[in-house]
Amino acid sequence: MRLVLVGSPGAGKGTQAAVIAGKLGIPHISTGEIFRQNVVDQTVLGMQAKEYMAAGELVPDSVTNAMVADRLAQPDAAAGFLLDGYPRNHEQADVLADLLHGQSIAVDAVIEIVVDQEHILERLVERARRQHRADDTEEVVRHRFEVYHHETEPLIEYYRDRELLRTVDGVGSVDDVTARILAELPD
Ligand code: AMP
């Protein structure tokens, strides 16, 4: 199973991605997590990404696409994967499609987790308190919403046009949302 999870900041993508990937036995590939780890490890990739992340901007496509290509080439991703936080714009979606097409494979489904703005702000404030993420300050969160709206939201139509989109209500307990996602997965 090759899945993509999309949703605005704070929609619960990361939580659901970890649960769903665990249940399906496929790697959970979070570009945000990979970038954060590289920042901690002070790698070249981390240095390239750090400023963009702190500002709530997308890391340049050239950097992000190369990283994802590398990650998907690892053996554990051969039988399937769940992408969390990628693609985030049209260019990345095209690159992903081409990359998979080159291996005669494709994404099986794109799950959109929908949560209204009010619930999301509550969650982000809560997460900022617990995790101390540098990009969870109010100003940066607001900017990440704008970036989502302008860059990532158009992908909803992109994947709807390709009949891959499944939309799931993200309000409720973690278990409830997981059950909704599982019910939407293709056979
Ligand atoms: P996330 O944990 O998915 O919210 O990602 C945190 C940050 O990492 C984002 O605000 C971006 O700066 C960067 N990032 C994660 N995924 C991508 C991506 N696909 N393209 C560009 N930047 C990304």
Side-chain angles (χ1 to χ4, degrees):
M1 185 80 77
R2 297 178 180 90
L3 299 174
V4 168
L5 220 54
V6 293
S8 76
K13 285 194 308 295
T15 304
Q16 290 300 330
V19 176
I20 299 288
K23 282 189 188 289
L24 298 179
I26 52 178
H28 167 203
I29 301 177
S30 159
T31 43
E33 273 305 318
I34 297 173
F35 282 135
R36 276 188 288 281
Q37 191 57 51
N38 276 274
V39 170
V40 169
D41 295 343
Q42 300 186 319
T43 66
V44 172
L45 181 64
M47 286 187 286
Q48 286 170 323
K50 190 176 177 178
E51 300 304 318
Y52 296 99
M53 295 175 77
E57 297 285 349
L58 295 187
V59 176
D61 288 341
S62 55
V63 174
T64 305
N65 288 329
M67 175 186 90
V68 170
D70 216 54
R71 180 62 188 87
L72 291 181
Q74 289 174 30
D76 67 333
F81 51 77
L82 192 163
L83 282 169
D84 160 17
Y86 180 94
R88 250 179 160 95
N89 61 23
H90 207 287
E91 162 74 18
Q92 292 181 8
D94 283 342
V95 166
L96 176 64
D98 286 351
L99 185 75
L100 298 181
H101 188 69
Q103 301 167 37
S104 304
I105 52 178
V107 166
D108 295 306
V110 176
I111 310 290
E112 178 197 13
I113 304 182
V114 180
V115 175
D116 60 82
Q117 187 107 0
E118 201 174 308
H119 278 95
I120 282 182
L121 283 172
E122 266 170 40
R123 287 184 188 187
L124 287 175
V125 169
E126 174 62 24
R127 184 168 80 185
R129 258 198 309 144
R130 276 185 287 119
Q131 295 182 356
H132 306 291
R133 267 179 59 160
D135 58 354
D136 268 349
T137 65
E138 193 185 330
E139 190 193 343
V140 177
V141 165
R142 201 176 310 122
H143 189 59
R144 286 166 59 214
F145 273 118
E146 283 168 20
V147 170
Y148 179 78
H149 183 60
H150 288 115
E151 303 272 332
T152 310
E153 233 168 41
L155 292 185
I156 304 299
E157 289 312 314
Y158 175 103
Y159 284 122
R160 202 193 311 276
D161 287 347
R162 287 158 180 75
E163 297 183 359
L164 290 171
L165 190 74
R166 311 274 199 281
T167 300
V168 169
D169 176 7
V171 180
S173 70
V174 171
D175 286 352
D176 285 349
V177 178
T178 301
R180 287 175 206 147
I181 294 173
L182 291 174
E184 289 293 333
L185 296 183
D187 297 329

